[in-house]
């Protein structure tokens, strides 16, 4: 099996250059395959190849290649050092126009100054362009090279020099824009500390994260960032997890709670048992998955790539025809129409078209990651923007998934006070294995009830009904109303029925001839769930559905409270799957939101599977199309807004990139197209589509 290695690449100025670099590397002996991820500035190579050969393949763009494992970004150089060639060329152009004004248009001095400006600023452009021309590879650099040489050939030295300068500026702006888009991921890469204080074999030492092993004990002081994923062994603190989950409010961490690399320990001393190596931490996985997502081509990008494949040769043919048909068949001036043909080559340069989609995809996916949402590719970003319906699992998604006591109705206090009843109920449930026992004990703890030390005699579980116990010589029962059928009054039965209608599980406490109280337990609806669904409807989601295995009464009680449009209850996993397929046929694009485990078939069947709480779940991170890295459903409207905005911007960019070139090409008919207009049309289109794409950086979560 061939060796697979990933390198970081610095210096990409455009998407076309990334494509050229990829092809150059693919042609190296020993390389079986190579894929450039332009969004993440990486290349993955299959094959055993020396680094110098890869650097040679990128020499046309002076690319810097670094091993990903030991990657540290090269320090930013000053603008003067970075663009000194461009600045010198500008000086020569100013001098050339001054000399032209003094000595005339064709003077040797002015032509010489223009020539130097062209060579200094366009050396790399010509080197690649001429190589491509000899090999009959037609990309934007080939077009620009032919156009500039042609301009010099017909004596338009000034315009040729300006074209070179403006092209260099355009590439610099494009590189800056893409770098800005990548910064969201770069900032994630830099948030985790490179070292941590580790206790190993009784000794405390600061060591590099690469050398930390699973089960090492990491000591984290207040105000420090956590370097590795792990579980709290000792200590209590609040941890700011915003960098991972997007949660604005710090989360309290106690013993056995999970913590993530890159999060900030705010106010307590923590001892953390390391559970993952540095390359497997949640942060590392998120960065890797986001970078892979940015490399995944969206449908619109695939269309652009296919279109550009035929577009560039077509432009060359059109330019050639513009240059020769009028002089050959209509006795027009050769010089005029050769000039027009060269202008067509410049305006036809596909820079804006090629960059139109990647800049939007990279920006949107990076922005989402910073807000605690992992979108696994451009295709899902686009599909999310076209959603018409969203289906929700109930338990653990719309509800917290943890039952809580919602009602306590005191029916008799003659023999037992409310506090005493809670003492007896919780003492009985403390010995019970019933799933709802935790809700009872949690409520008892909240009420400050001491129940663990109460002596119970003759404890017995009554299958399907409840529990029975003897305490202080008295027999008590707690469980289903069926236990008390013989002694419940009509009024009490009505009370129980009304609570059940609201989807609550009702339990009764009493003795053999007295009913003391009624306790109702229900799965708590998540905070803001109702507001969330209303916001989704306002954002254009026409249909919301709740899918649950719960009984019809419970499902309708919760669904009605939330304002959900359709409720499907008593569903098995395979029935959820079938229902999602039906909804796709009915509404087109459908998303499914679930916890990523029992909802797996439905999540897979939906156009978009959205998993809750992905930060703590490897399954959710790996299998979902979109993962919410916290259990915050408020992120859904944000994703819908971001995706729809991204889809709109992509369409705007493609339309504008093609439209502006068509308008410029129409100027050929009256003979008005000049190299100046051509380069401004190309540069303007490139600049506008990149700035338009960067508008996605402004989309934020609404608190």
């Amino acid at each position: 099996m061939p060796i697979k290695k990933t390198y970081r690449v610095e210096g990409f100025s455009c998407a076309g250059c990334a494509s050229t670099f990829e092809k150059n590397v693919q042609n190296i002996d020993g390389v079986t395959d190579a894929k450039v991820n332009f969004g993440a500035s990486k290349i993955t190579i299959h094959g055993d190849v020396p680094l110098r050969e890869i650097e040679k393949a990128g020499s046309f763009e002076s690319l810097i290649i670094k091993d990903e494992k030991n990657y540290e970004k090269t320090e930013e150089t000053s603008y003067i050092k970075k663009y000194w060639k461009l600045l010198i060329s500008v000086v020569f152009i100013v001098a050339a126009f001054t000399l032209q004004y003094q000595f005339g248009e064709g003077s040797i001095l002015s032509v010489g100054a223009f020539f130097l400006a062209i060579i200094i600023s366009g050396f790399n452009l010509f080197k690649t362009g001429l190589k491509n021309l000899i090999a009959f590879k037609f990309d934007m650099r080939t077009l620009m090279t032919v156009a500039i040489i042609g301009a010099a050939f017909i004596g338009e030295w000034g315009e040729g020099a300006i074209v070179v300068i403006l092209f260099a500026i355009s590439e610099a702006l494009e590189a800056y824009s893409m770098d800005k888009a990548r910064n969201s991921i770069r900032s994630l890469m830099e948030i985790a500390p490179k070292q941590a204080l580790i206790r190993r074999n009784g000794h405390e030492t600061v060591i590099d994260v690469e050398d930390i092993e699973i089960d090492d004990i990491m000591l984290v002081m207040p105000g420090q960032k956590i370097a590795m994923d792990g579980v709290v062994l000792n200590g209590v603190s609040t941890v700011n997890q915003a960098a991972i989950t997007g949660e604005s409010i710090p989360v309290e961490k106690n013993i056995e709670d999970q913590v993530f690399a890159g999060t900030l320990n705010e106010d307590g001393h923590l001892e953390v048992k390391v559970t993952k190596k540095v390359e497997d931490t949640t942060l590392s996985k998120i960065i890797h998955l986001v970078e892979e997502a940015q490399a995944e081509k969206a449908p619109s990008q695939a269309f652009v790539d296919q279109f550009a494949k035929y577009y560039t040769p077509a432009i060359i043919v059109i330019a050639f025809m513009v240059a020769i048909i009028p002089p050959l068949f209509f006795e027009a001036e050769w010089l005029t129409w050769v000039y027009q043909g060269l202008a067509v080559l410049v305006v036809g340069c596909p820079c804006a078209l090629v960059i139109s989609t990647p800049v939007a995809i990279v920006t949107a996916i990076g922005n989402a990651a910073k807000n605690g949402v992992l979108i696994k590719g451009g295709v899902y970003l686009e599909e999310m923007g076209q959603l018409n319906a969203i289906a929700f699992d109930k338990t653990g998604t719309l509800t917290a998934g943890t039952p809580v006591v919602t009602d306590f109705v005191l029916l008799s206090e003659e023999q037992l006070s409310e506090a005493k009843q809670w003492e007896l109920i919780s003492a009985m449930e403390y010995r019970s294995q019933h799933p709802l026992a935790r809700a009872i004990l949690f409520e008892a703890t909240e009420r400050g009830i001491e129940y663990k030390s109460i002596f119970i005699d003759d404890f017995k579980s009554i299958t399907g009904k409840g529990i029975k116990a003897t305490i202080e010589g008295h027999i008590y029962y707690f469980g289903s109303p069926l236990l008390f059928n013989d002694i419940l009054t009509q009024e009490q039965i009505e009370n129980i029925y009304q609570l059940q209608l609201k989807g609550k599980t009702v339990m009764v406490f009493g003795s053999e001839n007295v009913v003391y109280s009624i306790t109702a337990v229900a799965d708590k609806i998540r905070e803001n769930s109702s507001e969330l669904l209303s916001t989704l409807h306002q954002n254009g989601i026409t249909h919301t559905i709740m899918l649950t295995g719960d009984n019809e009464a419970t499902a309708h009680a919760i669904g009605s409270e939330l304002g959900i449009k359709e409720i499907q209850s008593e569903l098995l996993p395979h029935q959820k799957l079938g229902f999602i397929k039906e909804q796709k046929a009915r509404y087109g694009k459908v998303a499914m939101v679930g916890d990523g485990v029992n909802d797996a078939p439905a999540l897979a069947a939906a156009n978009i599977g959205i998993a809750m709480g992905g930060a703590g779940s490897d399954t959710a991170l790996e299998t979902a199309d979109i993962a919410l890295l916290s259990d915050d459903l408020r992120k859904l409207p944000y994703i819908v807004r971001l995706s729809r905005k991204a889809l709109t911007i992509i369409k705007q960019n493609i339309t504008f990139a093609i439209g502006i070139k068509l308008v410029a090409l129409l100027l050929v008919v009256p003979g008005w197209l000049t190299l100046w207009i051509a380069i401004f049309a190309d540069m303007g289109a490139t600049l506008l589509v990149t700035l338009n794409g960067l508008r996605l950086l402004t989309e934020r979560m609404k608190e």
Side-chain angles (χ1 to χ4, degrees):
M1 189 174 176
I3 296 169
K4 177 182 172 184
K5 202 161 185 184
T6 302
Y7 297 91
R8 293 275 171 181
V9 185
E10 293 178 14
F12 281 141
S13 60
C14 64
C17 308
S19 179
T20 302
F21 176 56
E22 182 179 272
K23 286 172 187 171
N24 289 350
V25 174
Q26 286 171 346
N27 291 329
I28 298 173
D29 288 339
V31 173
T32 55
D33 192 23
K35 290 288 177 203
V36 166
N37 182 337
F38 179 56
S41 284
K42 290 164 68 174
I43 184 168
T44 301
I45 299 171
H46 294 263
D48 190 9
V49 187
L51 183 60
R52 64 178 178 277
E53 290 294 319
I54 304 167
E55 289 171 337
K56 196 173 169 185
S59 61
F60 71 96
E61 184 79 344
S62 302
L63 299 177
I64 299 168
I65 318 296
K66 294 187 176 182
D67 192 326
E68 186 180 39
K69 286 185 179 177
N70 308 311
Y71 176 68
E72 282 189 20
K73 193 176 185 299
T74 305
E75 273 189 41
E76 287 289 328
T77 53
S78 67
Y79 282 104
I80 292 175
K81 279 186 179 179
K82 203 170 185 179
Y83 300 114
W84 66 270
K85 290 181 183 177
L86 184 59
L87 294 170
I88 290 173
S89 296
V90 170
V91 171
F92 273 114
I93 284 177
V94 172
F97 277 114
T98 306
L99 292 166
Q100 193 178 72
Y101 177 76
Q102 287 183 334
F103 301 108
E105 198 169 315
S107 71
I108 293 174
L109 288 174
S110 65
V111 169
F114 281 131
F115 176 75
L116 286 171
I118 290 170
I119 292 300
I120 292 168
S121 190
F123 180 75
N124 286 337
L125 166 68
F126 297 138
K127 190 167 76 171
T128 307
L130 289 170
K131 274 184 186 176
N132 290 349
L133 195 59
I134 293 164
F136 288 96
K137 282 164 59 182
F138 298 105
D139 62 8
M140 60 189 77
R141 291 182 171 238
T142 314
L143 299 189
M144 296 302 291
T145 300
V146 172
I148 293 159
I149 291 171
F153 183 73
I154 62 173
E156 297 290 344
W157 287 96
E159 292 197 27
I162 292 293
V163 166
V164 172
I165 295 294
L166 291 178
F167 182 73
I169 292 170
S170 175
E171 284 204 325
L173 288 170
E174 188 179 325
Y176 172 79
S177 301
M178 282 305 295
D179 211 40
K180 187 89 174 166
R182 293 181 189 117
N183 273 345
S184 53
I185 298 307
R186 190 169 295 139
S187 62
L188 278 180
M189 293 171 68
E190 292 167 359
I191 62 171
K194 303 297 181 191
Q195 294 181 318
L197 178 62
I198 296 295
R199 182 191 296 143
R200 192 186 284 173
N201 301 325
H203 299 286
E204 294 180 5
T205 322
V206 175
I207 62 175
D208 294 339
V209 289
E210 289 82 7
D211 299 325
I212 296 174
E213 298 291 336
I214 291 172
D215 293 335
D216 276 344
I217 306 302
M218 177 171 60
L219 309 178
V220 189
M221 308 300 172
Q224 281 189 339
K225 281 189 175 178
I226 297 169
M228 305 288 285
D229 281 13
V231 173
V232 177
L233 282 184
N234 279 307
V236 176
S237 183
T238 53
V239 174
N240 187 328
Q241 299 187 153
I244 302 294
T245 65
E247 294 168 287
S248 56
I249 299 170
V251 179
E252 186 175 306
K253 297 291 182 180
N254 295 293
I255 292 170
E256 293 188 5
D257 283 345
Q258 193 173 14
V259 294
F260 305 114
T263 57
L264 178 66
N265 177 31
E266 294 205 331
D267 52 26
H269 179 279
L270 293 177
E271 292 186 14
V272 177
K273 180 181 173 184
V274 176
T275 55
K276 293 178 182 176
K277 290 196 169 186
V278 66
E279 62 270 20
D280 298 322
T281 63
T282 300
L283 178 63
S284 298
K285 280 191 175 180
I286 290 169
I287 292 167
H288 173 72
L289 290 168
V290 170
E291 289 182 338
E292 292 302 306
Q294 290 176 337
E296 288 289 323
K297 289 184 179 176
S300 55
Q301 191 174 347
F303 159 75
V304 166
D305 290 348
Q306 196 66 17
F307 182 81
K309 188 176 170 184
Y310 300 104
Y311 168 83
T312 308
I315 285 292
I316 292 170
V317 172
I318 292 168
F320 182 70
M321 290 168 68
V322 166
I324 67 165
I325 287 177
L328 282 178
F329 298 102
F330 302 103
E331 298 182 358
E333 286 285 332
W334 275 99
L335 200 63
T336 301
W337 287 96
V338 167
Y339 177 86
Q340 290 283 298
L342 294 173
V344 169
L345 280 181
V346 173
V347 82
C349 185
C351 296
L353 186 61
V354 171
I355 199 69
S356 60
T357 304
V359 70
I361 297 291
V362 170
T363 305
I365 290 175
N367 184 2
K370 285 192 79 173
N371 283 282
V373 179
L374 180 60
I375 301 175
K376 301 285 282 291
V379 62
Y380 307 118
L381 182 73
E382 284 198 19
E383 291 211 325
M384 193 75 193
Q386 298 166 353
L387 278 187
N388 298 310
I390 299 181
F392 296 86
D393 171 51
K394 181 184 77 70
T395 307
T397 303
L398 292 172
T399 64
T402 307
V404 293
V405 173
T406 58
D407 302 85
F408 181 78
V409 182
L410 192 64
L411 300 176
S412 173
E413 205 175 6
E414 289 179 11
Q415 298 174 40
L416 298 171
S417 67
E418 181 175 336
K420 184 64 177 177
Q421 288 186 42
W422 267 103
E423 195 176 276
L424 298 172
I425 290 168
S426 51
M428 291 169 72
E429 285 289 17
Y430 182 53
R431 288 152 180 83
S432 167
Q433 299 297 315
H434 195 276
L436 297 180
R438 183 179 293 180
I440 300 295
L441 296 179
F442 179 79
E443 179 69 16
T445 303
E446 290 289 298
R447 289 169 174 256
I449 303 295
E450 289 293 333
Y451 55 83
K452 293 182 182 179
S453 58
I454 293 175
F455 178 76
I456 288 183
D457 190 26
D458 194 25
F459 178 85
K460 184 181 178 183
S461 176
I462 306 167
T463 306
K465 290 187 178 181
I467 52 178
K468 170 189 174 185
T470 302
I471 306 174
E472 298 171 355
H474 298 281
I475 298 172
Y476 297 104
Y477 296 86
F478 184 65
S480 167
L482 295 174
L483 280 169
F484 302 89
N485 266 348
D486 296 337
I487 60 171
L488 284 169
T489 67
Q490 192 58 43
E491 186 184 348
Q492 290 167 349
I493 291 169
E494 183 60 29
N495 274 346
I496 290 167
Y497 179 66
Q498 289 302 320
L499 289 168
Q500 288 174 333
L501 275 181
K502 294 177 183 177
K504 299 176 181 181
T505 300
V506 178
M507 292 171 284
V508 180
F509 175 66
S511 62
E512 291 187 347
N513 49 23
V514 180
V515 175
Y516 293 113
S517 59
I518 296 170
T519 306
V521 173
D523 191 0
K524 188 180 178 184
I525 291 174
R526 283 188 187 276
E527 205 175 331
N528 302 318
S529 286
S530 184
E531 184 187 336
L532 151 87
L533 290 160
S534 174
T535 307
L536 285 174
H537 294 147
Q538 290 166 17
N539 281 320
I541 301 300
T542 58
H543 201 68
T544 49
I545 312 137
M546 184 174 78
L547 308 180
T548 180
D550 272 355
N551 64 69
E552 190 174 348
T554 301
H556 277 272
I558 290 174
S560 301
E561 187 177 340
L562 289 170
I564 213 151
K565 292 196 174 180
E566 184 175 350
I567 300 155
Q568 295 290 325
S569 58
E570 300 178 17
L571 297 177
L572 295 171
H574 73 274
Q575 291 172 314
K576 288 184 182 181
L577 170 64
F579 185 79
I580 289 293
K581 288 180 178 177
E582 286 173 20
Q583 297 306 298
K584 283 169 71 177
R586 187 174 166 193
Y587 293 106
K589 303 289 184 186
V590 177
M592 171 71 189
V593 186
D595 59 16
V597 183
N598 62 332
D599 300 309
L603 287 167
N607 296 94
I608 304 286
I610 303 173
M612 294 281 292
S617 165
D618 288 344
T619 305
L621 282 177
E622 296 295 340
T623 59
D625 303 321
I626 295 177
L628 308 183
L629 300 178
S630 66
D631 287 333
D632 189 355
L633 278 174
R634 291 176 304 161
K635 295 182 189 295
L636 273 179
Y638 157 73
I639 308 169
V640 172
R641 287 196 313 273
L642 179 71
S643 302
R644 293 200 166 167
K645 189 172 180 180
L647 196 58
T648 301
I649 283 174
I650 287 167
K651 288 175 180 174
Q652 287 172 349
N653 282 356
I654 292 171
T655 304
F656 186 76
I658 295 173
I660 198 169
K661 292 184 185 299
L662 288 175
V663 170
L665 289 172
L666 288 174
L667 296 177
V668 171
V669 178
W672 295 346
L673 185 63
T674 66
L675 283 173
W676 289 77
I677 293 173
I679 191 62
F680 272 115
D682 177 63
M683 179 184 172
T686 303
L687 185 56
L688 282 171
V689 299
T690 50
L691 290 176
N692 197 30
L694 290 176
R695 285 198 300 127
L696 290 164
L697 288 172
T698 63
E699 195 63 43
R700 288 283 180 267
M701 273 275 300
K702 291 179 181 176
E703 293 296 330

